[in-house]
Amino acid sequence: MTLYDKYLNGQTREVYQDIEKLGDKAFSDFYFNDIEKVLTETFERTAYNLAIIYKDLQQINYLFKTAPKNNYEKPLHSPLPNTDALLKQLDRAVKPFGYVPLSLKFFYKIVGGVNFGWDYNTNEDYIWNLADPVQIASLDAVIETVTDKYWVQEIKEYVDDEDFGVPFLDLSADYLHKDNISGGPAYALQITNRPGIDSKFLNEPNNTTFIDYLRICFYNCGFPGIKRPELQNDYLHFFDRVRPQIKQI
């Protein structure tokens, strides 16, 4: 079977393991069209899953950002009309450090943006504490960051730091900041030194890749921290409604 056929057959995690093993061969004529089909399917399912979760959260009156003015504040938004132009701008901005993984590009082309964060400015009585709601910054917000005159110098300093050492794109607040608690560094996608299909999602508790982070999010219905036993979050009815509708990525 092709990678795409295996993916449709339910071997989603195994397919991405196979793609990772290919290394640079993933971009060869023999494999690349097949991998593009896998990525397209993955992020169409991602968009579907986020819409399912969003719909259920609306039904239980989950408090999203009230009257969002910017795309990154919206709980869910479709791809921006100028996505292709913005992605080219992003490529130019990160060129001194490497490449934007295809996983993020497909996210912006097919999904758009998501922010299931609770609006703590309106009400600090959270429905679930420290649940770490899924959040991926809008593409225009990322462009605003990387085109800031100080961004290149700041990233160079991180790259030169022995304790960090890699360039990255900030994509999400950490689980503490999402609950308006002073926390750690943002969750960030590693910029790769060679063209890549996916890359590490840095600073996030699961120490994994971007696509696997989304997989973990969907296993937990959009809230990867919600099941921590010490928090005693009441989530089972929410899971019972949402989980059966989630598509495996």
Side-chain angles (χ1 to χ4, degrees):
M1 290 190 292
T2 65
L3 291 168
Y4 179 63
D5 289 336
K6 288 175 65 177
Y7 192 89
L8 294 182
N9 197 43
Q11 301 174 61
T12 55
R13 189 183 298 271
E14 293 82 358
V15 164
Y16 278 103
Q17 291 172 346
D18 291 344
I19 291 172
E20 184 177 4
K21 291 174 184 176
L22 288 172
D24 292 343
K25 291 181 181 178
F27 290 88
S28 69
D29 292 340
F30 187 80
Y31 291 108
F32 190 63
N33 287 341
D34 194 23
I35 291 172
E36 280 193 310
K37 290 170 68 175
V38 171
L39 285 166
T40 299
E41 181 69 23
T42 296
F43 287 98
E44 286 178 348
R45 293 184 184 190
T46 295
Y48 172 86
N49 289 345
L50 291 173
I52 290 293
I53 298 168
Y54 179 49
K55 181 180 178 180
D56 194 270
L57 291 174
Q58 288 179 301
Q59 291 174 348
I60 63 174
N61 295 317
Y62 183 91
L63 186 57
F64 296 109
K65 178 71 175 180
T66 305
K69 297 179 181 179
N70 302 294
N71 287 317
Y72 68 83
E73 297 174 306
K74 297 175 181 178
L76 202 59
H77 73 78
S78 300
L80 302 177
N82 58 339
T83 291
D84 288 340
L86 290 175
L87 287 175
K88 289 178 181 178
Q89 190 175 359
L90 183 59
D91 281 335
R92 291 194 297 270
V94 307
K95 189 174 181 180
F97 305 105
Y99 299 86
V100 179
L102 283 183
S103 55
L104 185 63
K105 292 184 175 183
F106 272 72
F107 178 89
Y108 285 133
K109 288 180 178 180
I110 295 174
V111 181
V114 59
N115 183 357
F116 287 168
W118 182 268
D119 186 6
Y120 54 74
N121 289 318
T122 301
N123 183 356
E124 291 189 355
D125 186 15
Y126 299 91
I127 185 173
W128 300 303
N129 291 310
L130 299 176
D132 201 8
V134 60
Q135 179 186 86
I136 303 297
S138 60
L139 179 53
D140 55 342
V142 173
I143 293 296
E144 184 176 352
T145 297
V146 301
T147 54
D148 181 272
K149 63 180 179 180
Y150 299 110
W151 182 77
V152 170
Q153 182 57 41
E154 289 174 354
I155 296 299
K156 283 182 179 178
E157 291 174 2
Y158 276 105
V159 171
D160 293 338
D161 188 332
E162 293 181 1
D163 295 329
F164 202 82
V166 297
F168 57 89
L169 295 168
D170 285 340
L171 293 182
S172 169
D174 77 328
Y175 73 99
L176 292 170
H177 279 106
K178 288 172 184 174
D179 275 29
N180 198 27
I181 302 171
S182 179
Y187 300 161
L189 188 68
Q190 181 175 339
I191 297 168
T192 56
N193 58 11
R194 306 177 76 156
I197 304 301
D198 198 16
S199 70
K200 292 180 179 179
F201 200 50
L202 306 169
N203 308 321
E204 195 272 335
N206 293 285
N207 188 30
T208 190
T209 64
F210 179 58
I211 289 174
D212 197 47
Y213 164 73
L214 294 173
R215 186 178 291 123
I216 292 167
C217 284
F218 295 139
Y219 181 76
N220 294 283
C221 301
F223 296 82
I226 198 171
K227 294 192 297 185
R228 288 168 54 184
E230 71 274 18
L231 300 176
Q232 298 183 338
N233 285 320
D234 183 10
Y235 60 85
L236 292 179
H237 292 301
F238 171 64
F239 272 38
D240 288 344
R241 291 191 305 272
V242 174
R243 239 189 197 169
Q245 304 177 70
I246 295 295
K247 293 184 178 181
Q248 180 180 337
I249 69 165

